[in-house]
């Protein structure tokens, strides 16, 4: 990039950016030396299971709202219009289902790692497969997250690329390794506030500079950036209502339902109700986050439409362009460029800190502890800290891998979520909703799901055909006059892209469908293999690991048909809670917390719904948790 076009940081900007790192570090130190001083894994990895719903919900948003969303979404809106905004529709079911299906099942099993569930429901082998898949997904994703803001900052201000990567990576590693999950959650709260503040500042300044709200609206409307509801059913169309609003539900489920980062936060909540409440509170905040990013894209369009900056930024992606515009708008307003850069890095820090902590948790709980059941708490805690440290350093190496890829960061992140997160979601759905699925089926299903999603994902990268990209007309031509607007629009709508055929068509499946596609592949393969190898009988399934989805969906059907459909029937609600007792062979292997005097987990306070609750319906839903029929032969 031509140095004369570089934007410059003032001292105030450096100070603000430095304050972000210092404040995050201070929160980490505070939690390292307060409370239980991080001397147990319960505190380090689970925040003593004592968190309230407000910090948990802000932390839930922060986990998957990275710099990718802060600059990737505005870039998407700037170039392709507001269609992506419809992903907000997916948040409804994408959060209700985790709140009422996944949280009740997982919380009551008193897990530490989400993948413990897979051993309780299937077998050790399935658990290891789930864990390894999660580690793979998260390690790649955190590379993208730490690289993105550093890359943009470098392209625009010439700030040392690897210096920024190292500074963020190391600071984050330190506060995560010292302060544990409490530090991660409370820095998330702080960083989420900075994130919102930075975006809001850009929007306000941008609107003022482009002549007010109505002027912004006129320009984006005439620039054809307000997308209507695109109901095109073609699954290769990158972003439509169907790919975003329906495919997006599965993406959301894989993130907010079964991803360790999020499950760990639910489990850290004081009570199950707090966990459910935090999931509800994610909804408005996530809509706000999405809206801020989308509006930012529109404001940038109104302010810069027609200006071509490719000569100044080189062939670097649209992602760098977003930061360029922002810095350009904020020049001469001391402190604001620093605030926005702090916003960008806040988003990155809050995501990678979640990754370090969740990776340390699964490595400890799923891969190490089961082999060393006698390990002392002090040793386990020290090892967990070392693991958080190790993953922090690995993140730096992964940033370099990201450096070698050349796709829009939003697209890369969403592809990883779909390709790897989708099959894991399928595994949990297979276990919860299909009691007859067995362990062989689960492993085969996961293998098939991963193979298919990597086939289509890698195919799309190699052939560069992920979703037919809408034409992106240069907005200058459109904005020249109102007459050209309609003329151009007509011309554009007449252009038909040649449809890919055969395998090429398979490769051009929209990445927004990856999660759903691989989830269903896992379920289908899993069921087929289970029926061939001998389906499980209902009484062989660990109580409390299934959810009577079909029993509830098809409540109206007669009992015998439901039985044939192989649904678990949601009956005898009050009795079912008492049934969650782990069979003897699942106990004492370091998997499940030990209960004194053979107490079953349901008898601990956290499990018993308070009696003064206002919502009877909610209680009933809770009691129906496992939805299993009561087996007389089981001891009470
Ligand atoms: C993950 C979603 C879809 C949730 O709204 C959104 O935050 C998003 O588009 N994120 C992009 C990926 C990232 O921020 O790393
Ligand atoms: Na984040």
């Amino acid at each position: 990039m031509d140095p004369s076009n570089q934007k410059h940081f003032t001292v105030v900007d450096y100070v603000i950016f430095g304050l972000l790192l210092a404040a995050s570090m201070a929160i980490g130190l505070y939690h390292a030396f307060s409370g239980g001083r991080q001397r147990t894994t319960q505190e380090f990895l689970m925040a003593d299971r004592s968190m309230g719903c407000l910090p948990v919900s802000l932390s839930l948003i922060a986990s998957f709202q990275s710099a990718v969303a802060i600059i990737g979404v505005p870039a998407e809106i700037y170039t392709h219009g507001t269609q992506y905004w419809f992903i907000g529709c997916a948040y409804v079911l994408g959060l209700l289902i985790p709140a009422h299906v996944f949280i009740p099942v997982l919380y009551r099993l008193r897990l530490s790692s989400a993948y413990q569930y897979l051993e309780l429901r299937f077998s050790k082998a399935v658990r290891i497969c789930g864990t390894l898949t999660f580690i793979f997904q998260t390690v790649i994703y955190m590379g993208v997250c730490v690289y993105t803001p550093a890359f943009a900052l470098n392209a625009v201000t010439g700030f040392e690329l690897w210096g920024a990567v190292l500074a963020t990576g190391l600071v984050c590693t330190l506060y995560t390794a010292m302060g544990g999950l409490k530090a991660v959650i409370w820095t998330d709260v702080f960083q989420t506030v900075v994130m919102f503040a930075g975006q809001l500042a850009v929007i306000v300044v941008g609107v003022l500079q482009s002549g007010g709200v109505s002027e912004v609206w006129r320009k984006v409307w005439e620039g054809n950036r307000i997308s209507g509801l695109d109901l095109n059913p073609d699954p290769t169309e990158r972003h439509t209502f169907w790919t975003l609003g329906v495919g997006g539900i599965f993406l959301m489920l894989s993130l907010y339902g079964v991803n360790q980062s999020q499950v760990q936060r639910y489990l850290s909540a004081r009570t199950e109700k707090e966990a459910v409440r935090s999931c509800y509170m994610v909804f408005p905040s996530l809509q706000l986050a999405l809206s801020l990013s989308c509006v930012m894209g529109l404001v940038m369009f109104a302010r810069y439409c027609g200006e071509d900056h490719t000569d100044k930024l080189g062939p670097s992606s649209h992602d760098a362009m977003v930061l360029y515009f922002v810095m350009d708008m904020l020049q001469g307003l001391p402190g604001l460029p620093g605030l926005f850069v702090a916003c960008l890095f806040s988003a990155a820090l809050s995501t990678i800190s979640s990754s370090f902590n969740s990776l340390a948790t699964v490595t400890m709980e799923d891969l190490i502890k089961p082999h060393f059941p006698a390990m002392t708490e002090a040793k386990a805690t020290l090892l967990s800290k070392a693991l958080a440290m190790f993953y922090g350093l690995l993140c730096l190496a992964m940033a370099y891998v990201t450096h070698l890829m050349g796709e829009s960061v939003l697209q890369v992140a969403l592809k990883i979520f779909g390709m790897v997160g989708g099959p894991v979601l399928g595994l949990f759905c297979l276990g919860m909703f299909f009691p007859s699925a067995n362990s062989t089926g689960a492993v085969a299903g996961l293998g098939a799901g991963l193979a298919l999603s990597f086939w289509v994902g890698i195919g799309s990268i190699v052939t560069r055909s992920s979703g037919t990209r809408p034409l992106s007309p240069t907005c200058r031509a459109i904005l020249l006059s109102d007459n050209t607007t309609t003329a151009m629009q007509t011309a554009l709508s007449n252009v038909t892209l040649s449809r890919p055929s055969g395998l090429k068509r398979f490769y051009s499946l929209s990445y927004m469908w990856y999660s759903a596609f691989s989830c269903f592949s896992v379920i289908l393969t899993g069921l087929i293999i289970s029926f061939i190898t001998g389906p499980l009988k209902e009484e062989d399934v660990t109580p409390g690991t299934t959810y009577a989805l079909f029993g509830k969906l098809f409540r109206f059907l007669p009992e015998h048909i439901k039985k044939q459909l192989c649904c678990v029937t949601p009956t005898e609600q009050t009795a079912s809670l008492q049934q969650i007792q782990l069979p003897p062979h699942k106990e004492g292997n370091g998997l499940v917390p030990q209960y004194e005097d053979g107490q079953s987990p349901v008898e601990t306070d956290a499990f018993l719904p308070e009696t003064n609750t206002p919502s009877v319906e909610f209680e009933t839903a809770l009691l129906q948790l496992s939805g299993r029929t009561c087996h007389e032969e089981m001891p009470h």
Side-chain angles (χ1 to χ4, degrees), residues 288 360 556 573:
L288 176 67
F556 52 88
Q573 304 114 358

Side-chain angles (χ1 to χ4, degrees), residues 205-217:
V205 172
V207 168
L208 291 176
Q209 289 188 356
S210 16
V213 175
S214 56
E215 191 60 17
V216 170
W217 177 255

Side-chain angles (χ1 to χ4, degrees), residues 115-427:
Y115 310 101
Q116 254 172 311
Y117 168 82
L118 296 174
E119 178 166 1
L120 291 174
R121 172 63 182 82
F122 296 114
S123 66
K124 202 167 217 112
V126 182
R127 176 186 189 178
I128 306 272
C129 291
T131 304
L132 292 179
T133 313
F134 169 76
I135 293 178
F136 177 75
Q137 169 185 2
T138 310
V139 164
I140 300 181
Y141 174 58
M142 68 186 185
V144 179
C145 291
V146 77
Y147 179 75
T148 303
F151 163 76
L153 189 62
N154 169 265
V156 176
T157 66
F159 197 96
E160 180 56 46
L161 173 67
W162 298 106
V165 169
L166 273 176
T168 32
L170 289 180
V171 167
C172 190
T173 305
L174 277 179
Y175 77 70
T176 309
M178 291 193 318
L181 188 62
K182 282 182 191 167
V184 172
I185 291 180
W186 284 109
T187 47
D188 279 356
V189 172
F190 164 67
Q191 288 157 354
T192 307
V193 173
V194 176
M195 221 161 77
F196 284 153
Q199 285 186 297
L200 211 59
V202 171
I203 291 172
V204 170
V205 172
V207 168
L208 291 176
Q209 289 188 356
S210 16
V213 175
S214 56
E215 191 60 17
V216 170
W217 177 255
R218 188 186 69 81
K219 283 185 181 154
V220 296
W221 179 256
E222 288 174 1
N224 199 18
R225 281 303 176 275
I226 304 297
S227 325
L229 199 60
D230 183 353
L231 291 173
N232 186 348
D234 185 352
T236 65
E237 205 60 54
R238 208 173 57 102
H239 289 167
T240 64
F241 173 74
W242 305 115
T243 66
L244 293 161
V246 182
I249 294 175
F250 290 85
L251 174 78
M252 287 294 291
L253 291 184
S254 77
L255 296 177
Y256 284 83
V258 304
N259 188 293
Q260 172 67 20
S261 290
Q262 310 300 65
V263 172
Q264 201 172 335
R265 279 160 179 69
Y266 302 139
L267 297 173
S268 77
R270 220 177 283 139
T271 60
E272 181 181 323
K273 246 193 241 163
E274 290 290 283
V276 172
R277 204 173 286 154
S278 70
C279 198
Y280 268 82
M281 285 164 59
V282 166
F283 183 79
S285 330
L286 204 54
Q287 293 288 3
L288 176 67
L290 177 67
S291 305
L292 284 176
S293 293
C294 291
V295 170
M296 209 175 107
L298 291 178
V299 169
M300 265 172 26
F301 183 84
R303 174 80 172 68
Y304 289 98
C305 177
E307 289 179 35
D308 189 6
H309 290 270
T310 36
D311 52 328
K312 294 173 200 149
L313 285 169
S316 61
S317 63
H318 289 295
D319 304 321
M321 175 195 78
V322 170
L323 187 60
Y324 180 84
F325 287 160
V326 168
M327 299 293 268
D328 188 47
M329 277 196 272
L330 301 181
Q331 286 297 300
L333 299 165
L336 285 191
L339 177 62
F340 186 74
V341 169
C343 150
L344 207 54
F345 280 88
S346 281
L349 285 172
S350 56
T351 300
I352 57 179
S353 62
S354 308
S355 302
F356 300 165
N357 191 273
S358 60
L359 284 169
T361 308
V362 297
T363 311
M364 193 62 210
E365 298 290 333
D366 297 331
L367 302 181
I368 298 179
K369 250 188 194 168
H371 298 285
F372 303 95
M375 191 189 295
T376 63
E377 193 58 29
K379 243 196 195 140
T381 312
L382 192 67
L383 192 55
S384 303
K385 291 179 185 173
L387 282 169
M389 203 86 155
F390 162 77
Y391 281 113
L393 300 180
L394 183 62
C395 174
L396 297 178
M398 290 313 294
Y400 189 72
V401 174
T402 311
H403 181 61
L404 307 174
M405 300 197 282
E407 221 175 332
S408 139
V409 284
L410 180 64
Q411 215 149 292
V412 172
L414 295 178
K415 273 186 184 174
I416 299 169
F417 288 161
M419 280 164 64
V420 200
V424 180
L425 172 65
L427 205 51

Side-chain angles (χ1 to χ4, degrees), residues 518-539:
S518 47
C519 177
F520 282 112
S521 309
V522 172
I523 295 177
L524 207 66
T525 317
L527 285 179
I528 292 172
I529 302 291
S530 296
F531 278 105
I532 294 172
T533 56
L536 282 189
K537 290 195 200 67
E538 223 179 289
E539 54 269 25

